[in-house]
Each structure stands twice: as C-alpha cells, then as structure tokens.
Amino acid sequence: MKIGLIGLGKMGLNMAQNLLHHNHEVVAYDLNSNAIKEIEKHGAKGVSSILNLIKMLEKPRVIFMMVPHSVVDSVIIELTPFLNSGDIVIDAGNSHYKESIRRYTNLKKVGVRFMDVGTSGGTEGARNGACYMVGGDPEAWRVAEPVFQDTAVENGYLYAGKAGSGHFLKMIHNGIEYGMMAAIGEGFEVLEKSEFDYDYEKVARVWNNGSVIRSWLMDLAEHAFSKDAKLEEIKGMMHSSGEGKWTVETALDLQTATPIIAMSLFMRYRSLEKDTFTGKVVAALRNEFGGHAVEKCEKVITD
Amino acid sequence: MKIGLIGLGKMGLNMAQNLLHHNHEVVAYDLNSNAIKEIEKHGAKGVSSILNLIKMLEKPRVIFMMVPHSVVDSVIIELTPFLNSGDIVIDAGNSHYKESIRRYTNLKKVGVRFMDVGTSGGTEGARNGACYMVGGDPEAWRVAEPVFQDTAVENGYLYAGKAGSGHFLKMIHNGIEYGMMAAIGEGFEVLEKSEFDYDYEKVARVWNNGSVIRSWLMDLAEHAFSKDAKLEEIKGMMHSSGEGKWTVETALDLQTATPIIAMSLFMRYRSLEKDTFTGKVVAALRNEFGGHAVEKCEKVITD
Amino acid sequence: MKIGLIGLGKMGLNMAQNLLHHNHEVVAYDLNSNAIKEIEKHGAKGVSSILNLIKMLEKPRVIFMMVPHSVVDSVIIELTPFLNSGDIVIDAGNSHYKESIRRYTNLKKVGVRFMDVGTSGGTEGARNGACYMVGGDPEAWRVAEPVFQDTAVENGYLYAGKAGSGHFLKMIHNGIEYGMMAAIGEGFEVLEKSEFDYDYEKVARVWNNGSVIRSWLMDLAEHAFSKDAKLEEIKGMMHSSGEGKWTVETALDLQTATPIIAMSLFMRYRSLEKDTFTGKVVAALRNEFGGHAVEKCEKVITD
Amino acid sequence: MKIGLIGLGKMGLNMAQNLLHHNHEVVAYDLNSNAIKEIEKHGAKGVSSILNLIKMLEKPRVIFMMVPHSVVDSVIIELTPFLNSGDIVIDAGNSHYKESIRRYTNLKKVGVRFMDVGTSGGTEGARNGACYMVGGDPEAWRVAEPVFQDTAVENGYLYAGKAGSGHFLKMIHNGIEYGMMAAIGEGFEVLEKSEFDYDYEKVARVWNNGSVIRSWLMDLAEHAFSKDAKLEEIKGMMHSSGEGKWTVETALDLQTATPIIAMSLFMRYRSLEKDTFTGKVVAALRNEFGGHAVEKCEKVITD
C-alpha cells in the first residue's frame, strides 16, 4: 500500500522502516529535512511539504501521523484543504481520546475518515513489530488493516471500536505501565535498603524466567542493570508525558478509585522536587507542638 | 539425585512430578495418604512417616519441604533428631525470611545445612519449570544446585547469598506482584466504567503482544477473560497469603516509601469488607456540619 | 446595608437570618415560594422574581448568590440585563475558581463587579458566624466588607486577592477537610477493630480537649457518637460534592503530589461500590496462577 | 498527693511544674542533675537516685515515668526491687501498647499496679493542661485519678479500660495527627504552587475561625507562618518518632485499610531521601523502552 507518513521522530523513523520492510511505499514528510534524508536512504520517498505528500498519494489516501499530540491539530488544519472524501487520516501518536473524538467528528463532516491509534512497544516495537490499539471508522479499518497487520507483532493489533476507543485503550495501557513500573521500582528499592547484597541484573533475570512477575519491563530492568549495576549514573527523576495524568483524570471523572495509578503518578511528581512545601509545613507544625527540631535551610549569604 | 519431599499439596505434587520427570528419585511424605498414593502413581516412593523418609535417604540427605509456613517449625522439630551433620534441609515454601535466618542459625548448631528457597511460577511452574530464589549455605548450594537447575525454567534460578536472601527475594517478588496485579485491575476497571465497549479477552491479548505491559499476568488475564468475559461469576474479594503484608512491614522497618505495594495491600483488605467504620465516621461528620443526608442501614426487625 | 439574596436553601436561609440579625435589609428570592414565605417571617422582603429583586435595590446594588454551582451561570444570565455599572454580584457558593475567573472577566466587560466567596462553617456557621474566603475586585470589596465582617465569626473573613482566589481557597479548604475527615475515620476504624472496648463519644471528647488533634471535626464526631454510639444506623457511604475532586485535578495540573487528599477522595468513591472490577481481575489472576479459590457470585435465577 | 516523677525532659519538666502548681508534692529524679536543679527552683524535691525517690514516697507509692520508650524497661528493672505490693507505676510516655500490656502483666505478678498513659498536648499542654488517655488497673485509677484531673485541661482525661488501652489510644491519636498534618501541608503546597499570592498566616487565621477545618494544628500553622511567612528557613524533612509506624503496623495486623495514615508516613520517609532507587529504576525503564532521556548524576572527579 502507498502510505503518507507525517512525522519522522524516533517513533516515525522506525515505523517508516517497518513499513518499507513490509513492501509498503512510504511518502514521508517532516519539518526536519535531515530526517527526510535519513529515511530516503531506506527507500522512502521524501517530500518537502504536506501539499507534495498529498499529491503523491492515490485516493483514498492513507495518511499516518506520528507527531507529538500538541501539533496534531495544526497538521490536520494544514492537511484538510487538500483531502478528498474517503481519505483516511490516522493519528498513531499519543493524543487524548477526547481530542480524537472531536477530530473524528469534525473530519467526518468533510468526508474524511479519522482513526485513533495507540502505538505501544517503544522504538524497537515500531521498527520490528508494534502493538496497535485502533478506534474509528470501521470502513476505514477495512482499508487500513493490512498496514497494521504487517507492522504489528503477531496478535499485536486490535480494532477496538468507535472513535476514541484506540487512544483510550492506549491511555489506560500507559496508566497500567506507570503502576507496574512503580511496583518494580519499589521492590528493588526495598532490596537496596535491605541487609542483603543482591546482584540486581541477576535478580531481574531470575524474576524474568518462570516467575509470576515475568514481563517485558523486567527484561528491560535486566538490561538496564547490565549497563549500570546500581544505577549510580541515573538520577531518580521520573518525568511523565501525560498519559498517566489523563488516566487519573479520567478515573476521577468516572468516580473510579485508582490508588495505584494515582500514587505512581504522584511519586513521579514528587521525584522532580528537591523539597516540598508539605514537608515544610509538617516540620513546622511538629516544631510548634512538640519542640521537635527542624532542619534549617542553609542561608545564602550575599553581601 | 535422591530427594526427600515433605508436603504434597498443589505445589508439592507438581514439584514431585517435575523431579521425577528429570530422573530424580523422590521419597515423598504427606499427612494426607491419598496424596502419597497419587504421587506413587507417578513413580515416587511414598512413605508413611518422617522417620521412614529419613531412613530411605543417603547422607548427606537432601530434604525438600513444600509445606505451609505455619507448619515449617513443627516439621523441622520432627526432622531434627534424625538428621546427621551435613544433611541439607530446604524450605521451598513461603516462609518469612527472618524465620529462615533463625532456622538456619539453629540448624547450623547441629551441623544441618538449611536453605531458604522462594519458589515462583505457580502450580504450572512447579510442574514444568519453576523459578527459584535461593539463600543459605554456599556449600549446600553446590550439592543441591542440580536439583534446581533441572526443575527450573532456563535461567530460572538464582543463588542469592546468605541465609534469608532467598525468602526475602521471594517476599519482594510477591510485593511487586501485588502492585502489578492492582495496576492491571485498575486499568480494566476504568475500561469497564468507560463509554466504550471493549472485549477484555481481546484487550488482554493485544496488550500481551508487543506492548510495554506484556507480561505473564496479562497472559493470565487473557485466559481468565476467555472463560468469563466480564468476570461476572467472580466476586472481587482479594485475599492475601501474607507476603504482601511482610513486604510492607519490611518497608516500614527500612523506612522506605512503598505506596504502590502498600495501597495494593490495603485495597485487598478493603475488598473483604462490606462497609467500613471509616466510611460511617466520614458520613456522620458530613451530616453534622453540612446536613448532608446519610444512608441509613436497614433495621432488622425481630420481635 | 440593603442586600439582594438569591438562593434560600439550607445555607441561604441561615445566611439571611444572620444578615437580618445584624440589621441588614434583605431582599430575598428563590424558586421555592415556601422558602420565601419562611424568610419573610424573619423580616426579609421576599420577591417573586429576579427583576423585582433588582428593582428593590439601590445602586450600586449588592447581590448575594447562595445557589448550587450548576445554576450560577443561569442566574447571572438572568441578572445581567438589569444590572448597572458598579453593581456588585457575589457568588458565595461552591463554584470552581476557573468559572469564577471567567464570570469576573465577562461581568467586568459590562461594568459589573463580581466577587467569588468561599463560605465555610456549615449551616450553623451561616446562621451564627461564617468563615469567608473572598476574591475579586478590591474596590467592590471596600463596599461589601461590612456585610462579611458582620456575618462572619471574629477573624473569620479574608480578602485574598484577585478574582478566583476566594473560591480557590475554599476548594483547598475542602481538600484539607477530606483528608482530615479520612484520618479521623481511619483512627476510629482501627479502634473499632482492636481488642479494646472504647466508648467513642468519650474518646472524641478527650481527643477534643487538650490533644494535638483537637478540632471542630472532633467536636462533631463527639456529637455524632452521642447520638449513635457505634454509628450502627449509618451506612459508610461517603458522597462528595465536587471540591475534593477539583482539588486533586488542580494538584495534577500543578504537578503537585497530594496523596492524602487524593486517597481520601478515592476511598469515598470506593465506598459507593458494592464490588469492584479491580477486585474481580485480581481475584481471577490469583486463581489463574496459584489456583487460589475465588468467591463465586450468586447466580440470580430467573425463569 | 505526693508523686515520684522520673524523667525531666521537655515533657517531664513541664509536667512537674503543672503538678506543683496544683499543690502536689513532687519528688523528682533524672540522670541529668541540671534538670533536677531546675525543677527544685519550682518547689520540687530533687533526688539523686531512684532508691532515694522510692524512700521519700509513702505507700501506696505513685510513680510517674516521663521517659523515652526505649528506657522504660530499664527504669522499671531498677524500680522493681524497691517497690511494694499496691504501689502504682505510671508510664506517661509514648510506649507501644503491647509493651505496656507486657509490663502490666509482669508487674502485676509482684503486686505492682501499672498504668499506661498517653499524654498529648505538647509541652505547653504538659505545663498548663494536658490530655491523658489512661489504661490499666481500675483500682489504681481510683487512687491516681485526682492527679490527672488536676493537671489535665477540662474534660481532658479518659480512663479507657484495661491495660494497653491508654497507649493504644495515644498511638491512634498520633496516627490521626499524621494524617491531619499531611492534609494541611498538602493544602498549603497547592496554594504555594497556584497562580495566587496568598498570605499564609492570614489564610491559616481565617481557616481557624469559623471554618470546618478549624483546629489546634491550624492555630499552630498560623503561628509558624507568623514567624516565617513562606517557611523559607525550614527544610521539609519530616521526621517521625514511631507512633505513626506503630499505627500502620497495627492496621496491617488488623487487616484494616488505612491509606491516609500510611501515605502520610511514607511521605515522611520520602522526605528524608535526596533521591530514590525507585526513581532510578523507573527512569532507567523509561529510557530502555522509549529512549526517554535520563538525568545523569554528576560524576565526582577525584584524581
């Protein structure tokens, strides 16, 4: 199939190679011309504008977007004037499912079929076999399915239903991921503080072979420990890209108790702080009622 | 190797078959004579008492215990008078690591070498390839290693160090397991309350193929949903057998924040309650200050 | 001062009496004509429409709204055509601070000065001395301050600054309230499950006299236990009216870890469920890997 | 009444003055001779040894201990040989209730009546009116009650029942205190991160007058902010002295979900860490699957 691909970041570049590997034709565009040159080496046709991308595709066009969720709308705005009824636009990035429903509804008015696709598996998955959660128009799905079938790992794609259902599923996937990662982290932290002297790479390996908690994340943990046995070079700052927050917000809207996912998110936020105002207040209160000593901040002397 | 096996419950029976399958001789004892008969069908030699079990083994004896942690001490007490210096006693069940350190120390005084082994992988693992975390005497390990090597899945055993380190590792493994399971459960709960209509078996399958959260637990989730699509037949009562609690207690002793593991345990406790006193107090307080309505318990009228 | 009061619910009726008690003139309106008759008995002037309310006030008019946050916009829409530049509209209910900022901005365009006021202290406070957190136009504050001074408890009002700051402060107040109530509830729950036989009314009393946790909430707890020693008549269903959720959502937007407030909210949600899908999934997984028994739901037989 | 007082730390010194103020005779002992001199100025009789303290009291002796829980046993061991049947020993410090039950049982064998007393209200309460939660022998209570009545704030003491019930109640009191403090702290942290510019002293004051969350802790918050408006001089390190941990351990033993108290404890532990291993593991995993950047620890170069 001939596919337009917009977005050649880490994920997009790997996805393009995966598509090419499965004998799809890829017309690729990115703001970064170096990325275009890079993917041309692998056999894609690079184009210098969205208009050129549109021109090189046949109707119904199949356009894959693999861009940050913050620019999806601007890409769609740029695309829309050139699209025809029946064209298929696929957002394979991490957009909020409510945005996807809105985009689906708006594009439907002009006959364009929008699909929301959550893509998991990281960069390696994008290259060698991804995991796709797909929502949107079922007719469009019939057209596009071969692309997903080819580039997914076996059994690694699911058409989940109406618009939004793909990105919703990916959002929840990431929420679960937050919880799993935090559980694994906490386990190793207790090991680290214990009286025992474990080799964490070996621990991760044994836990990944035959145990109840064997998982790809444990596999990755083994790999990480193989490079840095005590993770001494890595700061424990846990950034997040938004899907965990969306999961908790959604849980709040649905009045659903999700303590594990919420706490894993809060501990990420906490990890980005050197000190907290909560802590200052509690320390001050303890000092007030019990005369408990407080640790003073070092004064910066500037004269 | 000739091995004495004490305990033919779900785990012990499967372990016995696994040993037999790898051409070990198994002398087996259990209080339940039916279990003994059962394992004799598979080629084990059943015995009617611990004394007989001892007699049938050659020195240094290798004795596997696969019994509930509450009876480990009484089995050891029964065993000890008949053991000789150099004999190896292996507790492959879920004992508390502090108990294992105590048992190691006590048995060492009489020359008996005690090993604490955490066994993971469930009943199926016990039969076809388990995961072992081993602590205790390194000399004993040299003797016993082949047994573990044969009955473990590939790379599925680790000699972790001094006494207690095996059961400690298994305890933490279970703590992580609690957190992972709760994260998965919360994810499906948000799906269930959402506006979408997912087929959970298919969701579990796609999440188990290529995604970041692919794991044995997700595999099991797929299997569970294949039997009962919405788990309508299962009550959400989450019992626990102790290792999650031990993990949290250990974290408290080590002053380690483990919110994910702790919350997953607390939500298990909560799931066993129909109503809570916390809830009653909060509802009463809201009624006191804001006149918020409280739901009245139905009075049971008995006259 | 002559004040227009819109909303004669539990809070509004008490507030009206408080205003009248301090020799303010009250022109009162509510959709419920019985509430109007009721407050007329206390000396207010009841009116049958918002238009009549407007007519009876002198410029600059001071209009108090004490209505559910869901109807604030519709009341403002009804009011606006009749208002003059310089009039003051006060939302003393529990609106979201972002809504208050929006309303402030919109009303400012037509010269109307909007104030957002968080009111605490429950119905009794509304009657005998409330606690006010005020945001909005500082000029308007100069006009309206006497009303708040008169009807607040001593030191019980604060002009906190720009638009939204009053409702923001009230929102956080309620978030803290959720956490405090949950902490108190948990404490009593542990007492209830302990081996001791406490008289909770007496416990609340002693905790309310001289202890570190003495507080109005503990006072209310004493009162609640005095009526129902074990709260046997109250179900532990913890409803919530939105401000706790807003607090957590705000914390998420500010990337602030608020585990206590979030967990107190989640436990409220949990209290409204008989069973959870999380629980079903965890129970099913335990059954899958360990053969742990699951409790079966009773089948409803309908033929 | 004539009272022997052992322990003249912050709490003991204030308690002694409180007793003297209410015309009790105080025979006081401490390892620190300066503290003895200090209390003699206030009219107590200082003694240089426990034996001398015993000698100066009349039977049945009433002996108050106000010492760290770690030394209670050694004081009791020193006291016991000199005590007579009917003497009353009161532990008014923060001992674990299980220890108090053990001490009660052991002392009962030699006829000595032991009482476990939780004392709240901080140092100021100890001086001017404390809050007491008392467990132990009811006969001894009849003898000792006047001492508690005199030195407590009005309604500020409770005989709660059998041995251990006093210290259990104090433990739970402290657990609630942890939760309340954390809730207050979180509230101020969200204020601090908000777009508004609050004067926290004034916020604490308004919240302490008429609001639902008015409390002694809010009063103390006002005081703390009056001295340091943004708590800039205080580090947010939240130490703990054990009772919160005991509360959570007890909740675990009673299978009681106490998420608020547990999380407030965990956030205290977290506040004492600069970085966490959990964080390192999660950051490493994110790097593994998504190529997310990790922050590198600064290498210390030492040549």
Side-chain angles (χ1 to χ4, degrees):
Chain A
M1 202 180 293
K2 201 167 186 177
I3 295 152
L5 177 65
I6 300 172
L8 295 167
K10 274 179 298 187
M11 289 297 285
L13 272 176
N14 281 290
M15 184 62 62
Q17 293 176 60
N18 193 346
L19 286 162
L20 293 162
H21 177 77
H22 287 90
N23 303 313
H24 294 284
E25 288 178 71
V26 176
V27 183
Y29 172 69
D30 193 283
L31 284 174
N32 176 354
S33 58
N34 287 331
I36 297 176
K37 280 176 205 149
E38 171 68 22
I39 203 60
E40 285 188 321
K41 290 183 202 158
H42 293 274
K45 171 70 194 163
V47 291
S48 60
S49 73
I50 280 184
L51 179 56
N52 287 340
L53 181 129
I54 299 274
K55 284 182 183 163
M56 296 203 54
L57 299 174
E58 287 119 40
K59 299 175 204 169
R61 299 179 185 94
V62 176
I63 298 171
F64 242 82
M65 289 189 292
M66 196 60 116
V67 300
H69 65 81
S70 55
V71 305
V72 171
D73 272 331
S74 66
V75 171
I76 288 177
I77 286 168
E78 222 181 318
L79 275 174
T80 311
F82 309 116
L83 293 177
N84 294 93
S85 182
D87 285 352
I88 296 170
V89 173
I90 297 163
D91 176 5
N94 275 335
S95 296
H96 196 288
Y97 77 98
K98 286 186 181 173
E99 303 277 15
S100 298
I101 294 172
R102 175 178 58 74
R103 287 162 189 152
Y104 170 87
T105 307
N106 287 341
L107 286 171
K108 190 171 187 169
K109 289 174 192 160
V110 295
V112 173
R113 298 178 290 182
F114 181 79
M115 309 206 76
D116 54 289
V117 178
T119 307
S120 185
T123 49
E124 194 237 84
R127 175 64 190 86
N128 297 311
C131 171
Y132 297 113
M133 297 145 249
V134 186
D137 195 300
E139 308 264 325
W141 174 243
R142 244 162 272 144
V143 177
E145 182 171 3
V147 180
F148 294 100
Q149 191 168 19
D150 288 349
T151 58
V153 75
E154 195 185 344
N155 286 320
Y157 70 98
L158 174 67
Y159 173 68
K162 66 178 181 178
S165 65
H167 279 147
F168 192 92
L169 214 48
K170 177 55 168 35
M171 176 183 80
I172 299 301
H173 163 281
N174 282 32
I176 294 173
E177 178 191 301
Y178 276 51
M180 280 188 165
M181 287 167 75
I184 292 170
E186 289 183 5
F188 279 104
E189 181 165 338
V190 181
L191 294 187
E192 175 70 6
K193 292 204 177 149
S194 78
E195 67 199 86
F196 301 105
D197 182 29
Y198 294 110
D199 178 325
Y200 301 136
E201 183 189 355
K202 289 182 181 170
V203 167
R205 186 181 306 130
V206 74
W207 280 351
N208 204 28
N209 288 287
S211 92
V212 173
I213 61 176
R214 61 192 190 254
S215 53
W216 193 49
L217 287 166
M218 197 56 78
D219 201 39
L220 297 177
E222 182 186 342
H223 191 242
F225 284 122
S226 76
K227 296 185 296 187
D228 183 358
K230 298 273 182 185
L231 303 181
E232 283 167 335
E233 293 190 4
I234 294 177
K235 274 192 191 165
M237 298 180 77
M238 299 178 275
H239 296 280
S240 51
S241 49
E243 303 230 329
K245 178 172 182 273
W246 297 343
T247 303
V248 178
E249 287 170 338
T250 302
L252 290 171
D253 285 337
L254 298 171
Q255 304 216 346
T256 305
T258 52
I260 270 60
I261 299 175
M263 287 303 130
S264 61
L265 179 62
F266 281 141
M267 296 313 277
R268 289 196 177 193
Y269 291 160
R270 177 64 186 83
S271 78
L272 305 181
E273 311 267 347
K274 281 201 178 152
D275 201 356
T276 68
F277 206 69
T278 300
K280 286 169 176 275
V281 172
V282 171
L285 291 175
R286 294 185 79 236
N287 179 254
E288 288 291 324
F289 69 70
H292 298 286
V294 291
E295 261 121 318
K296 295 282 178 176
C297 293
E298 285 138 38
K299 286 273 181 47
V300 180
I301 293 160
T302 54
D303 69 309
Chain B
M1 200 180 294
K2 201 169 188 178
I3 295 152
L5 178 66
I6 300 173
L8 294 167
K10 276 179 298 187
M11 289 297 285
L13 272 176
N14 281 290
M15 184 62 63
Q17 292 175 58
N18 192 347
L19 287 162
L20 292 163
H21 177 78
H22 287 90
N23 303 314
H24 294 284
E25 289 178 70
V26 176
V27 183
Y29 171 70
D30 194 281
L31 283 174
N32 176 353
S33 57
N34 287 331
I36 298 177
K37 279 175 206 151
E38 171 69 22
I39 202 60
E40 285 188 320
K41 290 183 203 159
H42 292 274
K45 171 71 194 162
V47 291
S48 59
S49 73
I50 282 184
L51 180 55
N52 286 342
L53 181 131
I54 299 274
K55 283 181 183 164
M56 296 203 52
L57 300 173
E58 286 120 41
K59 301 177 203 169
R61 299 179 186 95
V62 176
I63 297 172
F64 242 81
M65 288 189 294
M66 196 59 115
V67 299
H69 66 81
S70 55
V71 305
V72 170
D73 272 332
S74 65
V75 171
I76 289 177
I77 286 168
E78 223 181 319
L79 276 174
T80 310
F82 309 114
L83 294 175
N84 294 92
S85 183
D87 285 351
I88 295 170
V89 173
I90 296 164
D91 175 5
N94 275 336
S95 296
H96 196 289
Y97 77 99
K98 287 187 180 172
E99 302 277 15
S100 298
I101 294 172
R102 175 178 57 74
R103 287 162 190 154
Y104 170 88
T105 308
N106 287 342
L107 285 170
K108 191 172 188 169
K109 290 174 192 159
V110 295
V112 173
R113 299 178 290 182
F114 180 79
M115 310 206 74
D116 54 290
V117 178
T119 306
S120 186
T123 49
E124 195 237 82
R127 175 62 190 86
N128 297 313
C131 171
Y132 297 112
M133 298 145 249
V134 186
D137 195 300
E139 309 263 326
W141 174 243
R142 244 162 272 143
V143 178
E145 182 172 2
V147 179
F148 293 100
Q149 192 166 20
D150 289 348
T151 57
V153 75
E154 195 184 344
N155 285 320
Y157 70 98
L158 174 67
Y159 173 70
K162 66 179 180 177
S165 65
H167 278 146
F168 192 91
L169 213 48
K170 177 55 167 37
M171 176 182 78
I172 299 301
H173 163 280
N174 282 31
I176 293 173
E177 178 191 299
Y178 277 50
M180 279 188 167
M181 288 167 75
I184 292 170
E186 288 183 5
F188 279 104
E189 180 165 339
V190 181
L191 294 187
E192 174 71 5
K193 291 203 178 152
S194 77
E195 68 199 85
F196 302 105
D197 181 30
Y198 294 110
D199 178 325
Y200 300 136
E201 182 188 355
K202 289 182 182 170
V203 168
R205 186 181 306 130
V206 75
W207 279 351
N208 205 27
N209 286 287
S211 94
V212 173
I213 60 177
R214 61 191 189 253
S215 53
W216 193 51
L217 286 166
M218 197 56 77
D219 201 38
L220 297 178
E222 182 187 341
H223 191 243
F225 284 122
S226 76
K227 295 184 296 186
D228 182 0
K230 298 273 180 185
L231 304 181
E232 284 167 334
E233 294 190 5
I234 294 176
K235 275 193 191 164
M237 299 181 76
M238 300 178 275
H239 296 278
S240 52
S241 50
E243 302 229 330
K245 177 173 182 269
W246 297 345
T247 303
V248 178
E249 287 171 337
T250 302
L252 290 171
D253 284 338
L254 297 171
Q255 304 214 347
T256 304
T258 52
I260 271 61
I261 299 174
M263 287 305 129
S264 61
L265 178 63
F266 280 142
M267 296 313 278
R268 289 196 178 193
Y269 291 161
R270 178 62 185 81
S271 77
L272 305 181
E273 311 267 346
K274 281 202 179 151
D275 201 357
T276 69
F277 206 68
T278 300
K280 286 168 175 274
V281 171
V282 171
L285 291 175
R286 292 186 79 236
N287 178 254
E288 289 291 325
F289 69 69
H292 298 286
V294 292
E295 261 121 318
K296 295 282 177 174
C297 294
E298 286 139 38
K299 286 271 179 48
V300 180
I301 293 160
T302 55
D303 69 311
Chain C
M1 201 179 294
K2 201 167 186 177
I3 295 152
L5 178 65
I6 298 172
L8 294 168
K10 276 179 297 187
M11 289 297 285
L13 272 176
N14 281 289
M15 184 61 63
Q17 294 176 58
N18 192 347
L19 286 162
L20 292 163
H21 177 77
H22 287 90
N23 303 314
H24 294 285
E25 288 177 71
V26 174
V27 183
Y29 172 70
D30 195 283
L31 283 174
N32 176 353
S33 57
N34 287 331
I36 297 178
K37 279 175 205 152
E38 171 69 21
I39 202 60
E40 285 188 322
K41 289 183 203 158
H42 293 275
K45 173 69 196 162
V47 290
S48 59
S49 73
I50 281 184
L51 179 56
N52 287 341
L53 182 131
I54 299 275
K55 284 183 183 163
M56 297 203 52
L57 300 174
E58 285 119 42
K59 302 174 202 170
R61 299 180 187 94
V62 176
I63 297 172
F64 242 82
M65 288 189 294
M66 196 60 117
V67 299
H69 66 81
S70 55
V71 304
V72 170
D73 272 331
S74 64
V75 171
I76 288 177
I77 287 168
E78 223 181 319
L79 275 173
T80 310
F82 309 115
L83 294 176
N84 294 94
S85 182
D87 285 352
I88 296 169
V89 173
I90 297 163
D91 175 6
N94 275 337
S95 296
H96 196 289
Y97 78 98
K98 286 186 179 172
E99 303 277 16
S100 298
I101 294 171
R102 175 178 57 75
R103 286 162 190 154
Y104 170 88
T105 307
N106 287 342
L107 286 171
K108 191 171 186 170
K109 290 173 191 160
V110 295
V112 173
R113 299 178 290 183
F114 182 78
M115 310 206 74
D116 54 289
V117 177
T119 307
S120 184
T123 49
E124 194 236 84
R127 175 64 190 86
N128 298 311
C131 170
Y132 297 113
M133 296 145 250
V134 186
D137 195 300
E139 308 265 326
W141 175 243
R142 245 162 270 142
V143 178
E145 182 172 4
V147 179
F148 293 100
Q149 191 167 21
D150 289 348
T151 57
V153 76
E154 196 183 343
N155 286 319
Y157 70 99
L158 174 67
Y159 173 70
K162 67 178 180 179
S165 66
H167 279 147
F168 192 92
L169 214 46
K170 177 56 167 35
M171 176 183 78
I172 300 302
H173 163 281
N174 282 31
I176 294 173
E177 179 192 300
Y178 276 50
M180 280 187 166
M181 287 167 76
I184 292 170
E186 288 182 5
F188 280 103
E189 181 165 337
V190 181
L191 293 187
E192 176 69 6
K193 291 206 178 147
S194 77
E195 68 200 85
F196 302 105
D197 182 28
Y198 294 110
D199 178 325
Y200 301 136
E201 183 189 354
K202 289 182 181 170
V203 167
R205 187 181 304 131
V206 75
W207 280 352
N208 205 28
N209 287 286
S211 93
V212 173
I213 60 176
R214 63 192 188 252
S215 54
W216 193 49
L217 286 166
M218 197 55 78
D219 201 37
L220 297 177
E222 183 187 341
H223 191 243
F225 285 123
S226 77
K227 295 185 296 187
D228 183 359
K230 296 275 181 183
L231 303 181
E232 283 167 335
E233 294 190 4
I234 294 177
K235 275 192 190 164
M237 298 180 78
M238 300 178 275
H239 296 279
S240 53
S241 49
E243 303 230 327
K245 176 172 182 272
W246 297 344
T247 303
V248 178
E249 287 171 338
T250 303
L252 290 170
D253 284 338
L254 298 170
Q255 304 213 348
T256 305
T258 52
I260 271 60
I261 299 175
M263 282 307 307
S264 61
L265 179 63
F266 281 142
M267 296 313 277
R268 289 196 178 194
Y269 291 161
R270 178 62 186 82
S271 77
L272 305 180
E273 312 267 348
K274 281 203 178 149
D275 200 358
T276 69
F277 206 69
T278 300
K280 286 168 176 276
V281 172
V282 172
L285 291 175
R286 295 185 79 235
N287 178 254
E288 288 292 323
F289 69 69
H292 298 286
V294 291
E295 260 121 320
K296 295 281 177 176
C297 293
E298 286 139 37
K299 285 271 179 49
V300 179
I301 294 160
T302 55
D303 69 306
Chain D
M1 201 181 291
K2 202 168 187 177
I3 296 151
L5 178 65
I6 299 173
L8 294 167
K10 275 179 298 187
M11 288 297 285
L13 271 175
N14 280 290
M15 185 61 63
Q17 292 176 58
N18 193 346
L19 286 162
L20 292 163
H21 177 77
H22 287 90
N23 303 313
H24 294 284
E25 289 179 70
V26 175
V27 182
Y29 171 70
D30 194 282
L31 283 175
N32 176 354
S33 58
N34 287 331
I36 296 176
K37 278 175 206 149
E38 172 68 21
I39 203 58
E40 284 188 321
K41 290 183 204 158
H42 293 274
K45 172 71 196 162
V47 292
S48 59
S49 73
I50 280 183
L51 179 56
N52 286 341
L53 181 130
I54 298 275
K55 283 182 184 164
M56 296 207 49
L57 299 173
E58 286 119 40
K59 299 174 203 170
R61 298 178 186 95
V62 176
I63 298 171
F64 242 82
M65 289 190 293
M66 196 59 117
V67 300
H69 66 82
S70 54
V71 304
V72 170
D73 272 332
S74 65
V75 171
I76 288 177
I77 287 167
E78 223 181 319
L79 274 174
T80 310
F82 309 115
L83 293 176
N84 294 92
S85 181
D87 285 352
I88 295 169
V89 173
I90 295 163
D91 175 5
N94 275 336
S95 296
H96 195 289
Y97 77 98
K98 286 186 180 172
E99 302 277 14
S100 298
I101 294 171
R102 175 179 57 74
R103 287 161 189 152
Y104 169 88
T105 307
N106 288 342
L107 285 171
K108 190 170 186 168
K109 289 174 191 159
V110 294
V112 173
R113 297 178 293 183
F114 181 78
M115 310 205 75
D116 54 291
V117 177
T119 307
S120 184
T123 49
E124 194 236 85
R127 176 62 190 86
N128 297 311
C131 171
Y132 297 113
M133 297 144 251
V134 186
D137 194 301
E139 308 263 326
W141 175 243
R142 245 161 271 143
V143 177
E145 182 173 3
V147 179
F148 294 100
Q149 191 168 21
D150 288 350
T151 58
V153 75
E154 195 183 344
N155 286 320
Y157 69 98
L158 174 68
Y159 173 69
K162 66 179 181 177
S165 65
H167 278 146
F168 191 92
L169 213 48
K170 178 55 167 37
M171 176 183 80
I172 299 301
H173 164 280
N174 282 32
I176 294 173
E177 179 191 300
Y178 276 50
M180 279 187 165
M181 288 167 75
I184 292 170
E186 288 183 4
F188 279 105
E189 182 165 337
V190 181
L191 294 187
E192 176 70 5
K193 292 204 178 149
S194 77
E195 67 200 85
F196 302 105
D197 182 28
Y198 294 109
D199 178 325
Y200 300 136
E201 182 188 355
K202 289 182 182 170
V203 168
R205 186 181 306 129
V206 75
W207 279 351
N208 205 27
N209 287 286
S211 93
V212 173
I213 60 176
R214 61 193 190 252
S215 53
W216 192 49
L217 286 166
M218 197 55 77
D219 201 39
L220 297 177
E222 183 188 341
H223 192 242
F225 284 122
S226 76
K227 295 185 296 188
D228 183 358
K230 297 274 181 185
L231 303 181
E232 283 167 336
E233 294 191 4
I234 292 176
K235 275 192 191 165
M237 299 180 76
M238 300 178 275
H239 297 279
S240 53
S241 50
E243 302 230 330
K245 178 172 182 273
W246 297 344
T247 303
V248 178
E249 288 171 337
T250 303
L252 290 171
D253 285 338
L254 298 171
Q255 304 215 347
T256 304
T258 53
I260 271 59
I261 299 175
M263 282 306 308
S264 61
L265 179 63
F266 281 140
M267 295 313 278
R268 289 196 177 193
Y269 291 160
R270 178 62 186 80
S271 77
L272 305 180
E273 312 268 347
K274 282 202 178 149
D275 201 357
T276 68
F277 206 69
T278 299
K280 286 167 176 277
V281 172
V282 171
L285 290 176
R286 292 187 79 236
N287 179 254
E288 287 292 324
F289 68 71
H292 299 286
V294 294
E295 261 121 319
K296 295 280 179 178
C297 293
E298 285 137 38
K299 286 271 181 48
V300 180
I301 294 161
T302 53
D303 68 310

